[in-house]
Amino acid sequence: MSIPKKLGGLIRQSGLPDWPEQFRMSMERGLEQRVRLAVTGLSRSGKTVFISSLAHHLLQSDQGRSLPFFVAASEGRIIGTRDLSTASATPFPLQQSLTGLQTSPPHWPDSTEALSEIRLALRYRRKPGLGRALGEHSTLYLDLIDYPGEWLLDLPMLTLSFEQWCKQQQALFASAPRAEAAADWISCQHEVDWLAPASESQRQRLAEHYRSLLQQLREPPHNLSLLQPGRLLMPAELAGSSLLDLFPIIRNWPEEPENADPSSLFTQLQQAYNEYCEQVVRPFYQNHFRHFDRQIVLVDCLKTLNSGEACFNDMQLALTTLLHSFQYGHNSLLRRLFRPRINRVLFAATKADHVTANQHHNLDQFLRLMIETAQREMRFEQVDTRCLALSSLRATEAAQARLDGQHLSCLRGHRKDTGEEIALFPGEVPIELPRAEDWNSDRFRFVDFAPRPLPVGPLKPEHHIRLDQAIEYLLGDLF
Ligand code: GDP
C-alpha cells in the first residue's frame, strides 16, 4: 500500500511543499506494509537457492499446500501473489533458477556473481479483530536482494583505517592455515621498502600474487571465509580495475609513514584502500544494507565439520564481524519511520537434507555454538533470535538400511560431483565442539547432493525442510 492519495494531497496542500524527501519517504515506509528481509550468508552458504525457493513457495502460497507451518497460508488467508521484480533494473533471475531445477537432470542455480533484487506482493485477508478496521484485505510487499557473499565481507572494512586493516590481517596471517599457505607471499613482503619510490606495476604484481593466495584459501582443503577485499575474488564490473590492486602490508610496517615518497607502495596502497572503501564498499552498503526490518543468516555448518577446526573458527569470526555492519534494536513506530532496525533474526543452518531427520535437532544445536557471540549481542539489543536447521530445496529422501539386524536411518540421493545415485548413512552432527582429534580424524564427511527435479506444477511440503517454519518466524506476525 503506497501513501494514500488523500494524505499525499494533504501533505502538499499543508504549506509544507518542501518537506524533506527523506521524511516523505519515511512516512510512506511507515504506512505501507513493506518488509525488507536481509538474506545474509557467506559465499556458497545457500543464499541463491534460498531466495529462489522462498519466492517460488510464496508465489504459490495462495494455494496453501506446500507451507503447512506458515499460518496465513494454511488458513487460506493468502488470496493472491505477484512477482514485481521486473520493475527492477537488476531483477533476480528466478525463472532461470527454476528452469534449471525443473530440467532433467536438474542443476543448482549458478553461483551469484552480481547483485540482483526481488520484490513480491502478497495479498491477504486480515485476521478477524481490530486490524479489520483498516480493511478486510491488505498487501505485504517483501523485498530481498541477492549478492555475492564475498562482497559482504568487505563491510567491516568501512570502520577500519588502512593501518588498522593491515594490523588485523597481520594477526590473521600469523596462524594456521593462513601462515603456511601464505609463506611465499609473506616472504616477498620482507624484501620491500614500502616508503621508497615505486611503480604501479610493482603494486600490480604483488596484488596479483595476493589475489591467487585468496583464491587458494577459499578453496578446499582450507575453505576459509574471512578473505578481504572480497572484490578480488568476485570482481564483477570491476574486473581489471586498478582499484583492485590492493593488499595489506603485513611485514615491515614502516616506522615513519609520513616520510613516504608520493609514488611509494605505501602511498599507493593507502590511497587504493581508501578509494576501495569509499567508491566500492560504501555505495554497496548505503544502497543495499540499511533499512532492513528482518534478517535471516544462512550458515553452512556441515562445511565446517567437513573442513576442520580452522574453517569453523574462521567462519565464526567472519559471521560475528560482519553482523556488526547491520543495525539491530527495538523497532518502535517512530524508529520504523525514520531509521528502521532489524528486530528479528533467524539463524539458519542450511542443507539440512545432507543429514537424516533425527540429526536436525543436533544441527540446530551446532549452529547455536557457531553463532553464540553474535546471538548474545543481539539479545542484549532486545532482538528476537532463533536457530533452525532447514533445507530450502530438499535433494534427498529418507531410506532405511539394516545393519547387524538393526534398522539404520539413511539418505538416498544423487551425488553432486558424479551424479551417481547413492544411499548412505551420513553420520551424526555433534552437539558440542569436536575435540582436536575428532576434527582431524575424517570423522565428518557430509556429501553434497544434486537437486531432485522440481515439478513444474504445484509444490508440496516434501520439497523443502522447515522452510515454512522459517517463513512463519520471519513474517508470520505481519499477516
Ligand atoms: P550462495 O553462494 O550463498 O548464493 O550459495 P548457493 O545458493 O548458490 O548454494 C551453493 C550450493 O549449496 C548449491 O550449488 C548447492 O550445491 C548447495 N545447496 C544450497 N542450498 C541447498 C539445499 O537446500 N539443499 C542441498 N542439498 N544443497 C543446497
Side-chain angles (χ1 to χ4, degrees), residues 315-330:
M315 195 186 277
Q316 188 176 45
L317 183 62
L319 284 169
T320 313
T321 311
L322 78 85
L323 291 176
H324 287 145
S325 305
F326 293 86
Q327 305 279 334
Y328 297 98
H330 194 61

Side-chain angles (χ1 to χ4, degrees), residues 332-351:
S332 64
L333 179 63
L334 264 183
R335 172 104 70 190
R336 184 173 148 63
L337 283 173
F338 294 102
R339 211 160 148 245
R341 288 173 172 235
I342 296 170
N343 61 359
R344 186 171 292 193
V345 179
L346 180 68
F347 291 96
T350 51
K351 312 177 195 179

Side-chain angles (χ1 to χ4, degrees), residues 250-271:
I250 61 170
R251 284 290 177 277
N252 286 340
W253 180 262
E255 289 202 351
E256 292 177 344
E258 61 282 3
N259 295 335
D261 186 89
S263 74
S264 67
L265 284 171
F266 179 83
T267 311
Q268 288 188 42
L269 285 169
Q270 191 172 41
Q271 241 167 37

Side-chain angles (χ1 to χ4, degrees), residues 41-51 108-112 146-150 298 300 350-354 390-396 416 447-451:
L42 302 171
S43 140
R44 316 303 288 154
S45 58
K47 288 186 303 300
T48 309
V49 176
F50 173 80
I51 293 175
W108 295 109
D110 290 338
S111 71
T112 314
D146 192 22
Y147 51 85
E150 286 87 352
L298 302 174
D300 186 350
T350 51
K351 312 177 195 179
D353 56 332
H354 287 188
L390 60 77
S391 174
S392 317
L393 217 143
R394 188 175 181 169
T396 61
K416 183 179 177 180
V447 170
D448 282 345
F449 288 92

Side-chain angles (χ1 to χ4, degrees), residues 172-300:
L172 285 174
F173 276 100
S175 53
R178 280 182 176 80
E180 293 78 7
D184 241 17
W185 181 71
I186 294 174
S187 76
C188 288
Q189 291 219 351
H190 277 297
E191 294 152 18
V192 181
D193 178 351
W194 299 109
L195 303 185
S199 66
E200 285 201 5
S201 60
Q202 259 175 294
R203 179 176 123 217
Q204 275 164 6
R205 257 198 319 278
L206 285 164
E208 197 46 53
H209 194 163
Y210 181 62
R211 189 193 328 268
S212 49
L213 173 63
L214 291 186
Q215 275 159 353
Q216 188 189 336
L217 291 170
R218 180 177 57 169
E219 300 302 326
H222 309 303
N223 284 323
L224 298 189
S225 307
L226 194 41
L227 304 170
Q228 294 168 332
R231 291 272 184 156
L232 263 67
L233 292 165
M234 193 63 83
E237 77 286 357
L238 290 181
S241 159
S242 63
L243 276 179
L244 304 190
D245 292 333
L246 179 58
F247 56 88
I249 296 177
I250 61 170
R251 284 290 177 277
N252 286 340
W253 180 262
E255 289 202 351
E256 292 177 344
E258 61 282 3
N259 295 335
D261 186 89
S263 74
S264 67
L265 284 171
F266 179 83
T267 311
Q268 288 188 42
L269 285 169
Q270 191 172 41
Q271 241 167 37
Y273 179 83
N274 292 336
E275 282 172 15
Y276 183 82
C277 287
E278 291 311 313
Q279 294 174 28
V280 180
V281 189
R282 195 173 299 284
F284 178 58
Y285 174 70
Q286 284 186 331
N287 297 337
H288 304 287
F289 284 89
R290 296 189 309 163
H291 308 313
F292 283 120
D293 306 284
R294 307 264 158 115
Q295 183 174 37
I296 178 163
V297 183
L298 302 174
V299 188
D300 186 350

